[in-house]
Amino acid sequence: NKAFGAETHFITPQEIKEIAPEVDLTGGGVWPVLGASYHPQAATARHDRVNWALAEGANRRGVHIHQRTAVTGLLMEKGRVVGVETDQGAISADIVLSAVGGHVTGLAAMAGLRLPIRTHPLQAYVTNHYARSFDPIIASASLLFYVSQTARGEMLIGAELDRQPSYSYRSGHNLIQTCSQRAMTLLPFLRKLRILRQWTGVCDMSPDYSPIMGKTGIDGFYITTGWGTWGFKAIPVGGEQMAQLIATGKTPDLIRPFALSRFVNDRTKADRGSAGTH
Ligand SMILES: Cc1cc2nc3c(=O)[nH]c(=O)nc-3n(C[C@H](O)[C@H](O)[C@H](O)COP(=O)(O)OP(=O)(O)OC[C@H]3O[C@@H](n4cnc5c(N)ncnc54)[C@H](O)[C@@H]3O)c2cc1C
């Protein structure tokens, strides 16, 4: 993929070995590695630190964040959303933007809106400390797993969504078993490590694997959803665009193709390949 100047190129098994000597190019004798797509600038970011930084930046600019406050209903007047009901009381607002990740269908239903979103759990886990430093991020779109090393030296491993739609945050042994087996096939050193922690989040999947952003057809109610398994890297620009929409009332050109109405107008996006491990 070279879109928008992305530097991604194909590399040979020999080049893979130079970048990541730990990779077993025979794939355990079952899945031989014939090549790879290489993105030299790829990097990881600490999601918790990024979240705190975004919250702090918003606070400094005068945004009031109500922590531990759940939206329990939408305030409606003559078909228009005019605020939210929360477990701490009502809050009125000219515009309500739903940005609740995998919980969006329940929230939109409060406004009588049915969305083409399915919520699926996504799991990940980390091992104990790996003594060597492991720079590359390895992902296999065929075997469906990704591996990288955290700042603490743990190996972070994840895979595809749970197939069964659910709002459950329960982690399961099944994922550990199947994903570890696939990851160890390419990276045999993982066999010597122990799994320390596993966790689950819920992802809002749209039919075309692209986000849904903008107005909903219900006055005063906007959404940003469908970020699925790759919202962390895309949310900052998505957030800016939504802020612009709220401030001006006009949908910015960048997000116009991601309108909810595309599912009615047969203008879905061909973006299934955007994330490697669906
Ligand atoms: C295991 C895992 C690994 C992932 N890895 C990556 C990755 O490598 N790269 C990447 O780009 N993305 C990744 N993602 C996806 C990414 O986390 C999401 O796409 C992103 O967090 C979506 O952002 P959001 O702001 O839309 O929703 P969220 O981050 O889910 O935030 C929604 C917020 O709304 C709150 N909320 C929900 N309901 C209510 C309510 N009724 N009232 C008030 N608040 C409510 C929730 O508590 C939550 O804080 C991963 C997800 C998981 C689960």
Side-chain angles (χ1 to χ4, degrees):
N1 177 9
K2 305 264 183 202
F4 302 106
E7 194 194 317
T8 307
H9 40 94
F10 281 101
I11 54 174
T12 62
Q14 180 56 36
E15 290 168 309
I16 295 172
K17 207 66 186 164
E18 283 160 21
I19 294 162
E22 294 88 347
V23 172
D24 174 5
L25 291 174
T26 74
V30 185
W31 292 304
V33 179
L34 305 178
S37 169
Y38 179 47
H39 180 47
Q41 289 98 352
T44 59
R46 283 276 300 272
H47 54 276
D48 46 346
R49 284 195 187 167
V50 171
N51 269 359
W52 280 110
L54 289 173
E56 207 179 301
N59 249 325
R60 269 200 225 120
R61 287 163 180 78
V63 174
H64 186 177
I65 298 172
H66 299 261
Q67 295 192 68
R68 301 196 176 279
T69 306
V71 171
T72 53
L74 293 175
L75 304 175
M76 310 270 305
E77 257 177 40
K78 296 181 188 152
R80 184 190 164 88
V81 173
V82 293
V84 290
E85 189 62 63
T86 79
D87 54 4
Q88 309 287 328
I91 302 171
S92 58
D94 289 337
I95 304 284
V96 171
L97 167 65
S98 164
V100 293
H103 297 275
V104 68
T105 42
L107 203 123
M110 295 173 189
L113 183 66
R114 195 160 170 231
L115 294 175
I117 292 283
R118 289 283 175 276
T119 292
H120 289 259
L122 180 68
Q123 307 183 38
Y125 54 97
V126 288
T127 68
N128 62 326
H129 179 259
Y130 176 49
R132 294 198 189 159
S133 90
F134 186 85
D135 281 340
I137 303 157
I138 305 261
S140 170
S142 308
L143 296 182
L144 295 181
F145 75 87
Y146 60 85
V147 174
S148 65
Q149 191 171 37
T150 71
R152 281 190 288 227
E154 303 156 329
M155 298 308 296
L156 167 68
I157 306 173
E160 75 278 20
L161 294 163
D162 288 7
R163 285 294 134 208
Q164 183 68 39
S166 161
Y167 295 100
S168 169
Y169 285 83
R170 281 178 66 177
S171 305
H173 183 256
N174 197 29
L175 183 272
I176 295 187
Q177 190 180 18
T178 54
C179 181
S180 300
Q181 189 246 336
R182 295 183 306 230
M184 288 186 304
T185 304
L186 286 194
L187 297 166
F189 77 87
L190 294 173
R191 281 174 216 279
K192 298 201 175 125
L193 302 177
R194 293 186 305 278
I195 293 165
L196 290 191
R197 291 190 308 284
Q198 183 183 10
W199 66 96
T200 304
V202 289
C203 296
D204 39 353
M205 305 303 297
S206 68
D208 59 3
Y209 293 83
S210 286
I212 303 172
M213 281 183 280
K215 299 182 178 179
T216 59
I218 296 172
D219 281 348
F221 187 57
Y222 299 172
I223 48 167
T224 173
T225 183
W227 292 101
T229 60
W230 51 281
F232 175 73
K233 53 190 154 298
I235 288 284
V237 69
E240 276 178 1
Q241 299 293 306
M242 291 308 298
Q244 202 177 318
L245 168 60
I246 291 168
T248 64
K250 291 197 190 99
T251 304
D253 288 344
L254 190 63
I255 63 170
R256 204 177 292 279
F258 299 103
L260 176 61
S261 57
R262 73 178 184 272
F263 297 101
V264 176
N265 301 330
D266 198 18
R267 286 285 176 272
T268 53
K269 315 291 295 169
D271 251 359
R272 202 176 167 124
S274 303
T277 53
H278 282 327

